[in-house]
Amino acid sequence: MSEILSQVGLTALTALLSIVVMFLLTKLMGAKQVSQMTMFDYVTGITVGSIAAELATELEEPVKPLTAMVVYGFVAALISIATCKSLKIRAWITGKPLVLLENGVIYRKNLKKAKLDLNEFLTYCRIGGWFDLNQLQTAVLEHNGSVSFLPKEKDRPATPTDLDLSPKQSNLQTPFIMDGRLLRDNIRRAGKEEAWVQRTLLRQGYQNEGEVFLAVWDGNEKLTVFPMNERAL
């Protein structure tokens, strides 16, 4: 029984160690590991994850997978630094964008380079909201695997500039209340006072922040409030 408990305890410790090391390596390799990844990022992420799983259950020689994880992490970080400093290395590691369609011509050679068939290309177009290829001027496969589209000028959405309008610039919304709690640091950084928030809540029919699930400030004088309990607005 004591041997089983010892094994369980050791496994828990190695699992915890793998989680800590994975977290530190992820921070080292950067946020792109959890967003749009290049092919190299994808391969590195899978490999490091596999080694971390091995480390979590490796009881006899945990140093081996731990060393491999650290090496992979540091190599990925070094390559990331190199791609930021050298255009040639960046092109070789991350690849170059490929023009798939331009001015009514679909480039078969580039589709082959990208390992895409026509059905996959058309799927990308539909996902991007383009069901009529005649509306597209250019389609480009980016190095992270996404496809960017440039519509023809006559088919692109109209902008306020096209209509000779000058709308007021919108700002990022700032949360002032979350889960019934005032976010005092956000309120202070926004240059507002808690008393202003309370008055605004009262005007909208809320007695206190405890009745609010989420409240966001628009950068001007509007506070959008979502109630804690579902009710008709």
Side-chain angles (χ1 to χ4, degrees), residues 10-11 23-24 28 38-39 45 49 55 60 71 90 112 114 144 151 158 181 188 194 209 212 229 233:
L10 188 56
T11 302
F23 175 77
L24 294 176
L28 177 67
T38 64
M39 186 178 297
L55 172 61
E60 295 182 0
V71 170
R90 185 185 310 168
K112 289 181 179 179
N144 60 10
R181 296 183 180 182
R188 185 176 64 255
E194 293 181 28
E209 65 271 15
V212 176
N229 300 315
L233 299 178

mmCIF file with all atom_site columns, all heavy atoms in Angstrom, residues 10-11 23-24 28 38-39 45 49 55 60 71 90 112 114 144 151 158 181 188 194 209 212 229 233:
data_model
loop_
_atom_site.group_PDB
_atom_site.id
_atom_site.type_symbol
_atom_site.label_atom_id
_atom_site.label_alt_id
_atom_site.label_comp_id
_atom_site.label_asym_id
_atom_site.label_entity_id
_atom_site.label_seq_id
_atom_site.pdbx_PDB_ins_code
_atom_site.Cartn_x
_atom_site.Cartn_y
_atom_site.Cartn_z
_atom_site.occupancy
_atom_site.B_iso_or_equiv
_atom_site.pdbx_formal_charge
_atom_site.auth_seq_id
_atom_site.auth_comp_id
_atom_site.auth_asym_id
_atom_site.auth_atom_id
_atom_site.pdbx_PDB_model_num
ATOM 1   N N   . LEU A 1 10  ? 4.700   10.438 -6.477  1.00 0.00 ? 10  LEU A N   1
ATOM 2   C CA  . LEU A 1 10  ? 5.754   10.767 -7.427  1.00 0.00 ? 10  LEU A CA  1
ATOM 3   C C   . LEU A 1 10  ? 5.167   11.172 -8.779  1.00 0.00 ? 10  LEU A C   1
ATOM 4   O O   . LEU A 1 10  ? 5.641   12.110 -9.424  1.00 0.00 ? 10  LEU A O   1
ATOM 5   C CB  . LEU A 1 10  ? 6.694   9.571  -7.587  1.00 0.00 ? 10  LEU A CB  1
ATOM 6   C CG  . LEU A 1 10  ? 7.977   9.809  -8.398  1.00 0.00 ? 10  LEU A CG  1
ATOM 7   C CD1 . LEU A 1 10  ? 8.769   10.960 -7.810  1.00 0.00 ? 10  LEU A CD1 1
ATOM 8   C CD2 . LEU A 1 10  ? 8.812   8.540  -8.444  1.00 0.00 ? 10  LEU A CD2 1
ATOM 9   N N   . THR A 1 11  ? 4.119   10.458 -9.198  1.00 0.00 ? 11  THR A N   1
ATOM 10  C CA  . THR A 1 11  ? 3.455   10.805 -10.457 1.00 0.00 ? 11  THR A CA  1
ATOM 11  C C   . THR A 1 11  ? 2.844   12.201 -10.384 1.00 0.00 ? 11  THR A C   1
ATOM 12  O O   . THR A 1 11  ? 2.919   12.986 -11.331 1.00 0.00 ? 11  THR A O   1
ATOM 13  C CB  . THR A 1 11  ? 2.356   9.780  -10.791 1.00 0.00 ? 11  THR A CB  1
ATOM 14  O OG1 . THR A 1 11  ? 2.924   8.478  -10.870 1.00 0.00 ? 11  THR A OG1 1
ATOM 15  C CG2 . THR A 1 11  ? 1.684   10.110 -12.114 1.00 0.00 ? 11  THR A CG2 1
ATOM 16  N N   . PHE A 1 23  ? 4.246   25.786 -18.853 1.00 0.00 ? 23  PHE A N   1
ATOM 17  C CA  . PHE A 1 23  ? 3.815   27.183 -18.714 1.00 0.00 ? 23  PHE A CA  1
ATOM 18  C C   . PHE A 1 23  ? 4.980   28.135 -18.966 1.00 0.00 ? 23  PHE A C   1
ATOM 19  O O   . PHE A 1 23  ? 4.851   29.116 -19.712 1.00 0.00 ? 23  PHE A O   1
ATOM 20  C CB  . PHE A 1 23  ? 3.230   27.417 -17.321 1.00 0.00 ? 23  PHE A CB  1
ATOM 21  C CG  . PHE A 1 23  ? 2.864   28.846 -17.049 1.00 0.00 ? 23  PHE A CG  1
ATOM 22  C CD1 . PHE A 1 23  ? 1.709   29.399 -17.573 1.00 0.00 ? 23  PHE A CD1 1
ATOM 23  C CD2 . PHE A 1 23  ? 3.688   29.651 -16.276 1.00 0.00 ? 23  PHE A CD2 1
ATOM 24  C CE1 . PHE A 1 23  ? 1.376   30.724 -17.333 1.00 0.00 ? 23  PHE A CE1 1
ATOM 25  C CE2 . PHE A 1 23  ? 3.372   30.976 -16.028 1.00 0.00 ? 23  PHE A CE2 1
ATOM 26  C CZ  . PHE A 1 23  ? 2.206   31.513 -16.558 1.00 0.00 ? 23  PHE A CZ  1
ATOM 27  N N   . LEU A 1 24  ? 6.135   27.841 -18.366 1.00 0.00 ? 24  LEU A N   1
ATOM 28  C CA  . LEU A 1 24  ? 7.300   28.713 -18.530 1.00 0.00 ? 24  LEU A CA  1
ATOM 29  C C   . LEU A 1 24  ? 7.779   28.724 -19.982 1.00 0.00 ? 24  LEU A C   1
ATOM 30  O O   . LEU A 1 24  ? 8.124   29.780 -20.522 1.00 0.00 ? 24  LEU A O   1
ATOM 31  C CB  . LEU A 1 24  ? 8.426   28.252 -17.605 1.00 0.00 ? 24  LEU A CB  1
ATOM 32  C CG  . LEU A 1 24  ? 8.160   28.396 -16.101 1.00 0.00 ? 24  LEU A CG  1
ATOM 33  C CD1 . LEU A 1 24  ? 9.312   27.811 -15.296 1.00 0.00 ? 24  LEU A CD1 1
ATOM 34  C CD2 . LEU A 1 24  ? 7.942   29.857 -15.723 1.00 0.00 ? 24  LEU A CD2 1
ATOM 35  N N   . LEU A 1 28  ? 7.952   31.740 -22.725 1.00 0.00 ? 28  LEU A N   1
ATOM 36  C CA  . LEU A 1 28  ? 9.204   32.026 -23.415 1.00 0.00 ? 28  LEU A CA  1
ATOM 37  C C   . LEU A 1 28  ? 9.012   32.064 -24.925 1.00 0.00 ? 28  LEU A C   1
ATOM 38  O O   . LEU A 1 28  ? 9.549   32.947 -25.612 1.00 0.00 ? 28  LEU A O   1
ATOM 39  C CB  . LEU A 1 28  ? 10.249  30.957 -23.054 1.00 0.00 ? 28  LEU A CB  1
ATOM 40  C CG  . LEU A 1 28  ? 11.611  31.051 -23.754 1.00 0.00 ? 28  LEU A CG  1
ATOM 41  C CD1 . LEU A 1 28  ? 12.349  32.303 -23.286 1.00 0.00 ? 28  LEU A CD1 1
ATOM 42  C CD2 . LEU A 1 28  ? 12.445  29.816 -23.462 1.00 0.00 ? 28  LEU A CD2 1
ATOM 43  N N   . THR A 1 38  ? 2.599   29.282 -37.283 1.00 0.00 ? 38  THR A N   1
ATOM 44  C CA  . THR A 1 38  ? 3.233   28.821 -38.504 1.00 0.00 ? 38  THR A CA  1
ATOM 45  C C   . THR A 1 38  ? 3.384   27.310 -38.417 1.00 0.00 ? 38  THR A C   1
ATOM 46  O O   . THR A 1 38  ? 3.122   26.703 -37.370 1.00 0.00 ? 38  THR A O   1
ATOM 47  C CB  . THR A 1 38  ? 4.617   29.472 -38.670 1.00 0.00 ? 38  THR A CB  1
ATOM 48  O OG1 . THR A 1 38  ? 5.458   29.028 -37.588 1.00 0.00 ? 38  THR A OG1 1
ATOM 49  C CG2 . THR A 1 38  ? 4.526   30.992 -38.637 1.00 0.00 ? 38  THR A CG2 1
ATOM 50  N N   . MET A 1 39  ? 3.840   26.696 -39.521 1.00 0.00 ? 39  MET A N   1
ATOM 51  C CA  . MET A 1 39  ? 4.029   25.245 -39.511 1.00 0.00 ? 39  MET A CA  1
ATOM 52  C C   . MET A 1 39  ? 5.060   24.843 -38.452 1.00 0.00 ? 39  MET A C   1
ATOM 53  O O   . MET A 1 39  ? 4.888   23.846 -37.747 1.00 0.00 ? 39  MET A O   1
ATOM 54  C CB  . MET A 1 39  ? 4.473   24.774 -40.894 1.00 0.00 ? 39  MET A CB  1
ATOM 55  C CG  . MET A 1 39  ? 4.564   23.257 -41.027 1.00 0.00 ? 39  MET A CG  1
ATOM 56  S SD  . MET A 1 39  ? 5.036   22.750 -42.694 1.00 0.00 ? 39  MET A SD  1
ATOM 57  C CE  . MET A 1 39  ? 3.639   23.364 -43.630 1.00 0.00 ? 39  MET A CE  1
ATOM 58  N N   . GLY A 1 45  ? 4.899   22.928 -30.986 1.00 0.00 ? 45  GLY A N   1
ATOM 59  C CA  . GLY A 1 45  ? 3.887   22.826 -29.941 1.00 0.00 ? 45  GLY A CA  1
ATOM 60  C C   . GLY A 1 45  ? 3.470   21.393 -29.677 1.00 0.00 ? 45  GLY A C   1
ATOM 61  O O   . GLY A 1 45  ? 3.346   20.959 -28.519 1.00 0.00 ? 45  GLY A O   1
ATOM 62  N N   . GLY A 1 49  ? 4.365   19.311 -26.269 1.00 0.00 ? 49  GLY A N   1
ATOM 63  C CA  . GLY A 1 49  ? 3.225   18.748 -25.534 1.00 0.00 ? 49  GLY A CA  1
ATOM 64  C C   . GLY A 1 49  ? 3.367   17.249 -25.314 1.00 0.00 ? 49  GLY A C   1
ATOM 65  O O   . GLY A 1 49  ? 3.049   16.734 -24.233 1.00 0.00 ? 49  GLY A O   1
ATOM 66  N N   . LEU A 1 55  ? 6.823   13.314 -19.579 1.00 0.00 ? 55  LEU A N   1
ATOM 67  C CA  . LEU A 1 55  ? 7.426   13.735 -18.313 1.00 0.00 ? 55  LEU A CA  1
ATOM 68  C C   . LEU A 1 55  ? 6.482   13.503 -17.144 1.00 0.00 ? 55  LEU A C   1
ATOM 69  O O   . LEU A 1 55  ? 6.900   13.144 -16.043 1.00 0.00 ? 55  LEU A O   1
ATOM 70  C CB  . LEU A 1 55  ? 7.817   15.218 -18.393 1.00 0.00 ? 55  LEU A CB  1
ATOM 71  C CG  . LEU A 1 55  ? 8.293   15.874 -17.090 1.00 0.00 ? 55  LEU A CG  1
ATOM 72  C CD1 . LEU A 1 55  ? 9.544   15.174 -16.556 1.00 0.00 ? 55  LEU A CD1 1
ATOM 73  C CD2 . LEU A 1 55  ? 8.574   17.357 -17.310 1.00 0.00 ? 55  LEU A CD2 1
ATOM 74  N N   . GLU A 1 60  ? 11.121  7.005  -13.500 1.00 0.00 ? 60  GLU A N   1
ATOM 75  C CA  . GLU A 1 60  ? 12.482  6.517  -13.301 1.00 0.00 ? 60  GLU A CA  1
ATOM 76  C C   . GLU A 1 60  ? 13.535  7.547  -13.721 1.00 0.00 ? 60  GLU A C   1
ATOM 77  O O   . GLU A 1 60  ? 14.501  7.784  -13.013 1.00 0.00 ? 60  GLU A O   1
ATOM 78  C CB  . GLU A 1 60  ? 12.688  5.215  -14.080 1.00 0.00 ? 60  GLU A CB  1
ATOM 79  C CG  . GLU A 1 60  ? 11.825  4.064  -13.559 1.00 0.00 ? 60  GLU A CG  1
ATOM 80  C CD  . GLU A 1 60  ? 12.085  2.776  -14.323 1.00 0.00 ? 60  GLU A CD  1
ATOM 81  O OE1 . GLU A 1 60  ? 12.934  2.795  -15.254 1.00 0.00 ? 60  GLU A OE1 1
ATOM 82  O OE2 . GLU A 1 60  ? 11.448  1.769  -13.989 1.00 0.00 ? 60  GLU A OE2 1
ATOM 83  N N   . VAL A 1 71  ? 15.212  22.072 -24.187 1.00 0.00 ? 71  VAL A N   1
ATOM 84  C CA  . VAL A 1 71  ? 15.934  22.282 -25.447 1.00 0.00 ? 71  VAL A CA  1
ATOM 85  C C   . VAL A 1 71  ? 14.985  22.746 -26.544 1.00 0.00 ? 71  VAL A C   1
ATOM 86  O O   . VAL A 1 71  ? 15.267  23.712 -27.264 1.00 0.00 ? 71  VAL A O   1
ATOM 87  C CB  . VAL A 1 71  ? 16.662  20.992 -25.869 1.00 0.00 ? 71  VAL A CB  1
ATOM 88  C CG1 . VAL A 1 71  ? 17.204  21.128 -27.289 1.00 0.00 ? 71  VAL A CG1 1
ATOM 89  C CG2 . VAL A 1 71  ? 17.800  20.679 -24.903 1.00 0.00 ? 71  VAL A CG2 1
ATOM 90  N N   . ARG A 1 90  ? 13.524  34.506 -41.861 1.00 0.00 ? 90  ARG A N   1
ATOM 91  C CA  . ARG A 1 90  ? 12.058  34.556 -41.712 1.00 0.00 ? 90  ARG A CA  1
ATOM 92  C C   . ARG A 1 90  ? 11.375  33.906 -42.901 1.00 0.00 ? 90  ARG A C   1
ATOM 93  O O   . ARG A 1 90  ? 10.444  33.116 -42.744 1.00 0.00 ? 90  ARG A O   1
ATOM 94  C CB  . ARG A 1 90  ? 11.606  36.004 -41.581 1.00 0.00 ? 90  ARG A CB  1
ATOM 95  C CG  . ARG A 1 90  ? 10.122  36.169 -41.296 1.00 0.00 ? 90  ARG A CG  1
ATOM 96  C CD  . ARG A 1 90  ? 9.743   37.634 -41.294 1.00 0.00 ? 90  ARG A CD  1
ATOM 97  N NE  . ARG A 1 90  ? 10.643  38.408 -40.450 1.00 0.00 ? 90  ARG A NE  1
ATOM 98  C CZ  . ARG A 1 90  ? 10.683  39.739 -40.447 1.00 0.00 ? 90  ARG A CZ  1
ATOM 99  N NH1 . ARG A 1 90  ? 9.908   40.431 -41.260 1.00 0.00 ? 90  ARG A NH1 1
ATOM 100 N NH2 . ARG A 1 90  ? 11.523  40.371 -39.652 1.00 0.00 ? 90  ARG A NH2 1
ATOM 101 N N   . LYS A 1 112 ? -0.841  24.084 -56.035 1.00 0.00 ? 112 LYS A N   1
ATOM 102 C CA  . LYS A 1 112 ? -0.093  22.849 -55.813 1.00 0.00 ? 112 LYS A CA  1
ATOM 103 C C   . LYS A 1 112 ? 0.974   23.044 -54.742 1.00 0.00 ? 112 LYS A C   1
ATOM 104 O O   . LYS A 1 112 ? 1.202   22.176 -53.903 1.00 0.00 ? 112 LYS A O   1
ATOM 105 C CB  . LYS A 1 112 ? 0.557   22.389 -57.118 1.00 0.00 ? 112 LYS A CB  1
ATOM 106 C CG  . LYS A 1 112 ? -0.441  21.850 -58.142 1.00 0.00 ? 112 LYS A CG  1
ATOM 107 C CD  . LYS A 1 112 ? 0.272   21.377 -59.407 1.00 0.00 ? 112 LYS A CD  1
ATOM 108 C CE  . LYS A 1 112 ? -0.729  20.810 -60.410 1.00 0.00 ? 112 LYS A CE  1
ATOM 109 N NZ  . LYS A 1 112 ? -0.062  20.358 -61.670 1.00 0.00 ? 112 LYS A NZ  1
ATOM 110 N N   . ALA A 1 114 ? 0.820   25.055 -52.283 1.00 0.00 ? 114 ALA A N   1
ATOM 111 C CA  . ALA A 1 114 ? 0.139   25.172 -50.999 1.00 0.00 ? 114 ALA A CA  1
ATOM 112 C C   . ALA A 1 114 ? -0.567  23.890 -50.582 1.00 0.00 ? 114 ALA A C   1
ATOM 113 O O   . ALA A 1 114 ? -1.160  23.827 -49.512 1.00 0.00 ? 114 ALA A O   1
ATOM 114 C CB  . ALA A 1 114 ? -0.884  26.303 -51.053 1.00 0.00 ? 114 ALA A CB  1
ATOM 115 N N   . ASN A 1 144 ? 0.655   31.589 -42.267 1.00 0.00 ? 144 ASN A N   1
ATOM 116 C CA  . ASN A 1 144 ? 0.057   30.864 -41.134 1.00 0.00 ? 144 ASN A CA  1
ATOM 117 C C   . ASN A 1 144 ? -1.120  29.988 -41.551 1.00 0.00 ? 144 ASN A C   1
ATOM 118 O O   . ASN A 1 144 ? -1.794  29.416 -40.701 1.00 0.00 ? 144 ASN A O   1
ATOM 119 C CB  . ASN A 1 144 ? -0.382  31.850 -40.047 1.00 0.00 ? 144 ASN A CB  1
ATOM 120 C CG  . ASN A 1 144 ? -1.418  32.846 -40.540 1.00 0.00 ? 144 ASN A CG  1
ATOM 121 O OD1 . ASN A 1 144 ? -1.953  32.707 -41.638 1.00 0.00 ? 144 ASN A OD1 1
ATOM 122 N ND2 . ASN A 1 144 ? -1.709  33.851 -39.739 1.00 0.00 ? 144 ASN A ND2 1
ATOM 123 N N   . PRO A 1 151 ? -11.199 42.432 -52.286 1.00 0.00 ? 151 PRO A N   1
ATOM 124 C CA  . PRO A 1 151 ? -12.305 42.497 -53.245 1.00 0.00 ? 151 PRO A CA  1
ATOM 125 C C   . PRO A 1 151 ? -12.056 43.562 -54.308 1.00 0.00 ? 151 PRO A C   1
ATOM 126 O O   . PRO A 1 151 ? -11.230 44.464 -54.118 1.00 0.00 ? 151 PRO A O   1
ATOM 127 C CB  . PRO A 1 151 ? -13.499 42.869 -52.358 1.00 0.00 ? 151 PRO A CB  1
ATOM 128 C CG  . PRO A 1 151 ? -12.898 43.606 -51.212 1.00 0.00 ? 151 PRO A CG  1
ATOM 129 C CD  . PRO A 1 151 ? -11.548 42.990 -50.979 1.00 0.00 ? 151 PRO A CD  1
ATOM 130 N N   . ALA A 1 158 ? -19.036 49.663 -48.600 1.00 0.00 ? 158 ALA A N   1
ATOM 131 C CA  . ALA A 1 158 ? -18.882 51.118 -48.555 1.00 0.00 ? 158 ALA A CA  1
ATOM 132 C C   . ALA A 1 158 ? -18.387 51.549 -47.183 1.00 0.00 ? 158 ALA A C   1
ATOM 133 O O   . ALA A 1 158 ? -18.732 50.953 -46.160 1.00 0.00 ? 158 ALA A O   1
ATOM 134 C CB  . ALA A 1 158 ? -20.209 51.801 -48.866 1.00 0.00 ? 158 ALA A CB  1
ATOM 135 N N   . ARG A 1 181 ? -18.939 42.717 -9.202  1.00 0.00 ? 181 ARG A N   1
ATOM 136 C CA  . ARG A 1 181 ? -17.875 43.385 -8.458  1.00 0.00 ? 181 ARG A CA  1
ATOM 137 C C   . ARG A 1 181 ? -17.318 44.556 -9.256  1.00 0.00 ? 181 ARG A C   1
ATOM 138 O O   . ARG A 1 181 ? -17.081 44.448 -10.460 1.00 0.00 ? 181 ARG A O   1
ATOM 139 C CB  . ARG A 1 181 ? -16.742 42.407 -8.132  1.00 0.00 ? 181 ARG A CB  1
ATOM 140 C CG  . ARG A 1 181 ? -17.167 41.265 -7.212  1.00 0.00 ? 181 ARG A CG  1
ATOM 141 C CD  . ARG A 1 181 ? -15.982 40.391 -6.870  1.00 0.00 ? 181 ARG A CD  1
ATOM 142 N NE  . ARG A 1 181 ? -16.373 39.295 -5.986  1.00 0.00 ? 181 ARG A NE  1
ATOM 143 C CZ  . ARG A 1 181 ? -15.531 38.387 -5.498  1.00 0.00 ? 181 ARG A CZ  1
ATOM 144 N NH1 . ARG A 1 181 ? -14.251 38.446 -5.836  1.00 0.00 ? 181 ARG A NH1 1
ATOM 145 N NH2 . ARG A 1 181 ? -15.958 37.426 -4.704  1.00 0.00 ? 181 ARG A NH2 1
ATOM 146 N N   . ARG A 1 188 ? -10.516 53.748 -12.120 1.00 0.00 ? 188 ARG A N   1
ATOM 147 C CA  . ARG A 1 188 ? -9.544  54.797 -11.823 1.00 0.00 ? 188 ARG A CA  1
ATOM 148 C C   . ARG A 1 188 ? -8.713  55.153 -13.050 1.00 0.00 ? 188 ARG A C   1
ATOM 149 O O   . ARG A 1 188 ? -8.501  56.332 -13.348 1.00 0.00 ? 188 ARG A O   1
ATOM 150 C CB  . ARG A 1 188 ? -8.645  54.351 -10.678 1.00 0.00 ? 188 ARG A CB  1
ATOM 151 C CG  . ARG A 1 188 ? -7.667  55.443 -10.218 1.00 0.00 ? 188 ARG A CG  1
ATOM 152 C CD  . ARG A 1 188 ? -6.839  55.015 -9.022  1.00 0.00 ? 188 ARG A CD  1
ATOM 153 N NE  . ARG A 1 188 ? -5.969  53.876 -9.341  1.00 0.00 ? 188 ARG A NE  1
ATOM 154 C CZ  . ARG A 1 188 ? -6.199  52.634 -8.950  1.00 0.00 ? 188 ARG A CZ  1
ATOM 155 N NH1 . ARG A 1 188 ? -7.266  52.350 -8.204  1.00 0.00 ? 188 ARG A NH1 1
ATOM 156 N NH2 . ARG A 1 188 ? -5.357  51.655 -9.277  1.00 0.00 ? 188 ARG A NH2 1
ATOM 157 N N   . GLU A 1 194 ? -16.160 55.985 -8.734  1.00 0.00 ? 194 GLU A N   1
ATOM 158 C CA  . GLU A 1 194 ? -17.148 54.966 -8.391  1.00 0.00 ? 194 GLU A CA  1
ATOM 159 C C   . GLU A 1 194 ? -18.524 55.579 -8.223  1.00 0.00 ? 194 GLU A C   1
ATOM 160 O O   . GLU A 1 194 ? -19.539 54.944 -8.538  1.00 0.00 ? 194 GLU A O   1
ATOM 161 C CB  . GLU A 1 194 ? -16.725 54.247 -7.112  1.00 0.00 ? 194 GLU A CB  1
ATOM 162 C CG  . GLU A 1 194 ? -15.471 53.411 -7.275  1.00 0.00 ? 194 GLU A CG  1
ATOM 163 C CD  . GLU A 1 194 ? -15.089 52.681 -6.003  1.00 0.00 ? 194 GLU A CD  1
ATOM 164 O OE1 . GLU A 1 194 ? -16.001 52.376 -5.205  1.00 0.00 ? 194 GLU A OE1 1
ATOM 165 O OE2 . GLU A 1 194 ? -13.894 52.418 -5.790  1.00 0.00 ? 194 GLU A OE2 1
ATOM 166 N N   . GLU A 1 209 ? -23.947 47.272 -7.596  1.00 0.00 ? 209 GLU A N   1
ATOM 167 C CA  . GLU A 1 209 ? -23.202 46.453 -8.562  1.00 0.00 ? 209 GLU A CA  1
ATOM 168 C C   . GLU A 1 209 ? -23.473 44.966 -8.422  1.00 0.00 ? 209 GLU A C   1
ATOM 169 O O   . GLU A 1 209 ? -23.210 44.183 -9.339  1.00 0.00 ? 209 GLU A O   1
ATOM 170 C CB  . GLU A 1 209 ? -21.694 46.710 -8.427  1.00 0.00 ? 209 GLU A CB  1
ATOM 171 C CG  . GLU A 1 209 ? -21.083 46.276 -7.111  1.00 0.00 ? 209 GLU A CG  1
ATOM 172 C CD  . GLU A 1 209 ? -21.136 47.377 -6.059  1.00 0.00 ? 209 GLU A CD  1
ATOM 173 O OE1 . GLU A 1 209 ? -21.891 48.356 -6.259  1.00 0.00 ? 209 GLU A OE1 1
ATOM 174 O OE2 . GLU A 1 209 ? -20.437 47.238 -5.039  1.00 0.00 ? 209 GLU A OE2 1
ATOM 175 N N   . VAL A 1 212 ? -25.441 43.384 -11.179 1.00 0.00 ? 212 VAL A N   1
ATOM 176 C CA  . VAL A 1 212 ? -24.887 43.522 -12.530 1.00 0.00 ? 212 VAL A CA  1
ATOM 177 C C   . VAL A 1 212 ? -23.905 42.384 -12.813 1.00 0.00 ? 212 VAL A C   1
ATOM 178 O O   . VAL A 1 212 ? -22.989 42.123 -12.033 1.00 0.00 ? 212 VAL A O   1
ATOM 179 C CB  . VAL A 1 212 ? -24.163 44.878 -12.687 1.00 0.00 ? 212 VAL A CB  1
ATOM 180 C CG1 . VAL A 1 212 ? -23.516 44.981 -14.059 1.00 0.00 ? 212 VAL A CG1 1
ATOM 181 C CG2 . VAL A 1 212 ? -25.150 46.015 -12.465 1.00 0.00 ? 212 VAL A CG2 1
ATOM 182 N N   . ASN A 1 229 ? -29.275 38.655 -13.225 1.00 0.00 ? 229 ASN A N   1
ATOM 183 C CA  . ASN A 1 229 ? -30.382 37.744 -13.475 1.00 0.00 ? 229 ASN A CA  1
ATOM 184 C C   . ASN A 1 229 ? -31.073 38.147 -14.759 1.00 0.00 ? 229 ASN A C   1
ATOM 185 O O   . ASN A 1 229 ? -31.294 39.323 -15.007 1.00 0.00 ? 229 ASN A O   1
ATOM 186 C CB  . ASN A 1 229 ? -31.383 37.767 -12.312 1.00 0.00 ? 229 ASN A CB  1
ATOM 187 C CG  . ASN A 1 229 ? -30.742 37.340 -10.999 1.00 0.00 ? 229 ASN A CG  1
ATOM 188 O OD1 . ASN A 1 229 ? -30.004 36.371 -10.947 1.00 0.00 ? 229 ASN A OD1 1
ATOM 189 N ND2 . ASN A 1 229 ? -31.002 38.099 -9.936  1.00 0.00 ? 229 ASN A ND2 1
ATOM 190 N N   . LEU A 1 233 ? -34.971 43.747 -21.049 1.00 0.00 ? 233 LEU A N   1
ATOM 191 C CA  . LEU A 1 233 ? -34.314 45.052 -21.022 1.00 0.00 ? 233 LEU A CA  1
ATOM 192 C C   . LEU A 1 233 ? -35.247 46.126 -21.563 1.00 0.00 ? 233 LEU A C   1
ATOM 193 O O   . LEU A 1 233 ? -36.093 45.864 -22.384 1.00 0.00 ? 233 LEU A O   1
ATOM 194 C CB  . LEU A 1 233 ? -33.026 44.980 -21.858 1.00 0.00 ? 233 LEU A CB  1
ATOM 195 C CG  . LEU A 1 233 ? -31.976 43.981 -21.371 1.00 0.00 ? 233 LEU A CG  1
ATOM 196 C CD1 . LEU A 1 233 ? -30.771 43.989 -22.323 1.00 0.00 ? 233 LEU A CD1 1
ATOM 197 C CD2 . LEU A 1 233 ? -31.524 44.341 -19.955 1.00 0.00 ? 233 LEU A CD2 1
#
